[in-house]
Amino acid sequence: MSISSATATNPNPINGHEQNLEQELNDLQYACIFPLKKPKMCGAAEIAHNSPLCQGKQQVSAKAYPGTRELSVLKGLGDNAIVASICPKVIDAADPSHPAADPNYGYNPAISALMNRLKSTLIGKCLPRTLRADDHGQVLCRVVEAQEQKNSCNCQLAGREEVSPELLSAVRRQLQESGHCGGAQQKPCSDWCMCEIEQVDPAHLEACQTRQGGVPPGYCYIDDQAKAGASPAATQAIESQLAECPSNQRHRLRFIDADPAHKTPAAGAVAFISCLGAPFESEPP
């Protein structure tokens, strides 16, 4: 509970300022706050107690409470866990058309941290947890395709782009630790070609999820939510892709090839896939 003289502004950029709380309105100090894209009206109690979420009568920020239980669980997982803030540092990407390129935008820092630790083969496999998606239906994933460089490294192929610098070192480290490069009688990991596989754009998302044609190379995310409002044929196409998944793992990534000669990911490549899961239903927003 915080009981002190509150200020009119937010001197602490992490969790704002103190509140004027009465005994019957106990509350924890927020672990962090972050700005809302669209302000809304504050409640009477929030205004009366000078909530750090409000400026005047408008709620301009959202909050998160200290996640002590979650941190205890993650501590027990050791090196298999990544801790990151639920409050995004930046809510407007430097390039709105390509938010994944901004390392500070949204949950990109958490994705980058995961990439430092995680190498998995999620291609075509069922996933145990719903993935977090943005307002356009894009899931928060980064997929890096790494392969031995035979001639020149070309990330100008359809569905590919250059890997951001903060991911290069993490992927190279994982390649070396997994014995693919950098050892005796092996090429340096810096000689490997690495490209990031692009996510299918929102305009082609439904077509990708329902196995329609005309979808550019890349990947899309499929789960039962994709069936909401879909036609019977589209629902059947989605169900056919989820049918083999256990009832608690009905989530998967679908990869789209450019043509039979250019697979996604490329034949023989090592794919590093890192995704941010959505909060569990019992977790606060």
Side-chain angles (χ1 to χ4, degrees):
M1 180 182 70
S2 298
I3 302 179
S4 68
S5 60
T7 58
T9 58
N10 288 346
N12 185 333
I14 302 300
N15 56 16
H17 56 68
E18 302 286 354
Q19 302 182 70
N20 284 329
L21 296 178
E22 300 173 2
Q23 188 64 36
E24 65 272 16
L25 293 174
N26 289 351
D27 196 10
L28 293 173
Q29 186 178 50
Y30 306 143
C32 57
I33 63 173
F34 60 97
L36 295 174
K37 279 187 172 292
K38 294 182 179 179
K40 57 184 182 180
M41 295 301 295
C42 282
E46 293 171 314
I47 296 173
H49 299 102
N50 198 24
S51 169
L53 306 179
C54 302
Q55 287 185 6
K57 295 184 178 181
Q58 280 197 322
Q59 181 180 342
V60 296
S61 299
K63 67 181 184 295
Y65 288 108
T68 53
R69 177 175 60 85
E70 291 83 356
L71 290 174
S72 296
V73 172
L74 294 174
K75 183 178 181 181
L77 295 176
D79 290 341
N80 291 322
I82 291 292
V83 176
S85 175
I86 195 173
C87 296
K89 181 179 180 181
V90 176
I91 64 169
D92 293 306
D95 181 359
S97 65
H98 192 190
D102 187 340
N104 296 315
Y105 169 71
Y107 297 99
N108 284 348
I111 293 296
S112 297
L114 283 169
M115 191 65 79
N116 283 330
R117 302 266 185 89
L118 179 64
K119 175 197 172 185
S120 59
T121 53
L122 300 179
I123 301 170
K125 289 189 176 182
C126 303
L127 308 178
R129 187 175 179 184
T130 302
L131 299 185
R132 185 188 292 271
D134 64 16
D135 295 339
H136 303 289
Q138 304 286 282
V139 289
L140 302 180
C141 292
R142 306 290 290 273
V143 180
V144 175
E145 171 190 79
Q147 53 188 323
E148 286 192 69
Q149 188 170 316
K150 297 178 175 61
N151 298 307
S152 59
C153 185
N154 181 14
C155 293
Q156 302 303 313
L157 298 173
R160 307 298 198 279
E161 62 181 350
E162 299 290 339
V163 179
S164 55
E166 74 272 9
L167 292 184
L168 275 177
S169 59
V171 174
R172 286 171 179 163
R173 181 166 56 252
Q174 289 289 339
L175 280 171
Q176 184 167 359
E177 290 177 356
S178 56
H180 287 90
C181 56
Q185 310 301 318
Q186 291 181 318
K187 291 183 177 180
C189 294
S190 58
D191 286 353
W192 277 53
C193 178
M194 300 182 200
C195 301
E196 185 162 356
I197 299 177
E198 296 179 329
Q199 189 167 179
V200 170
D201 61 272
H204 292 90
L205 177 60
E206 182 178 353
C208 176
Q209 293 172 329
T210 56
R211 289 181 168 173
Q212 299 178 43
V215 181
Y219 68 92
C220 62
Y221 171 63
I222 305 170
D223 64 6
D224 284 311
Q225 296 290 334
K227 295 187 293 185
S231 66
T235 299
Q236 183 177 2
I238 295 170
E239 181 59 34
S240 68
Q241 299 176 76
L242 298 174
E244 64 188 59
C245 296
S247 59
N248 62 342
Q249 296 184 17
R250 289 173 63 83
H251 323 279
R252 68 189 312 170
L253 297 182
R254 182 191 179 207
F255 284 80
I256 305 296
D257 301 326
D259 53 59
H262 295 93
K263 295 293 185 180
T264 305
V270 180
F272 292 82
I273 304 175
S274 179
C275 298
L276 194 64
F280 291 117
E281 290 184 1
S282 59
E283 295 178 359

